Amino acid sequence: MSARLIDLLLQRSRRERQLLAVLAVLLPLALALALLLPLQERRQQAEAARSDALALQAWVRARAAEKAALDAALPLPRDAAGAPAGLSGLEQGLNTAGLRSALSELGSEGGGAVTLRFDAVDFLRLAAWLSSVHPGWGYSIRSFRFEALEDAPGKAAARITLVPGGS
């Protein structure tokens, strides 16, 4: 077969042989650029996406473990029978969180519903208190309203209505 190729090349002019040689070099290079490089780029993107997903998964696991540790460490504001703590239990939780002084109204409605109103409260402290006690306090949040106070950065006006029957 190589003899046939040599005979074929000898029949061509010097210029044609040089063009065939250039074509023999450029064709594999063109194939590599057209096919292999995009595949390599896709692989690198997939590896980067996988590493991002693994990092996100590790972060979520760490936050879940942190939440479980916090939930285990927090005393739940319920009485011995597992019923909702009522106004006094909520007020005690607010005292512990340092929010009692910001409380403007703590009232009871029909059916065991409780209303909390804050005219100017530190939003981060209130949000931390809500997220820490909510899973086991015996109440569900029926409604809430937060309004940012323009004259006090970081402060908010809040109204929260709780009903018995939380998780």
Side-chain angles (χ1 to χ4, degrees):
M1 177 164 170
S2 62
R4 283 182 63 194
L5 182 60
I6 292 172
D7 287 340
L8 182 66
L9 288 175
L10 287 176
Q11 292 174 1
R12 304 285 173 229
S13 69
R14 178 182 171 107
R15 186 177 211 179
E16 288 175 336
R17 287 192 302 259
Q18 287 174 345
L19 287 174
L20 285 174
V22 168
L23 183 62
V25 170
L26 290 181
L27 188 61
L29 185 61
L31 284 174
L33 290 175
L35 297 176
L36 299 178
L37 287 179
L39 289 176
Q40 182 184 12
E41 289 174 7
R42 282 192 219 140
R43 180 186 172 127
Q44 289 173 344
Q45 290 171 351
E47 287 174 351
R50 181 178 183 272
S51 66
D52 289 347
L54 289 174
L56 178 62
Q57 185 180 29
W59 182 84
V60 168
R61 280 188 188 145
R63 297 299 73 77
E66 184 179 313
K67 183 185 181 315
L70 288 174
D71 287 346
L74 288 174
L76 300 178
R78 290 180 173 212
D79 63 12
L87 295 178
S88 63
L90 289 173
E91 191 169 11
Q92 182 181 7
L94 289 167
N95 275 333
T96 304
L99 293 170
R100 178 61 182 101
S101 62
L103 185 66
S104 302
E105 176 187 341
L106 176 61
S108 178
E109 298 177 3
V114 176
T115 301
L116 300 139
R117 183 173 56 94
F118 300 89
D119 290 331
V121 65
D122 183 271
F123 178 75
L124 293 177
R125 185 176 284 182
L126 178 63
W129 177 74
L130 281 173
S131 63
S132 67
V133 298
H134 176 65
W137 63 358
Y139 289 100
S140 294
I141 298 175
R142 179 195 309 159
S143 65
F144 63 89
R145 181 181 177 124
F146 296 103
E147 293 180 28
L149 300 177
E150 291 183 23
D151 58 336
K155 301 269 185 184
R159 183 173 177 92
I160 304 165
T161 304
L162 308 171
V163 293
S167 55

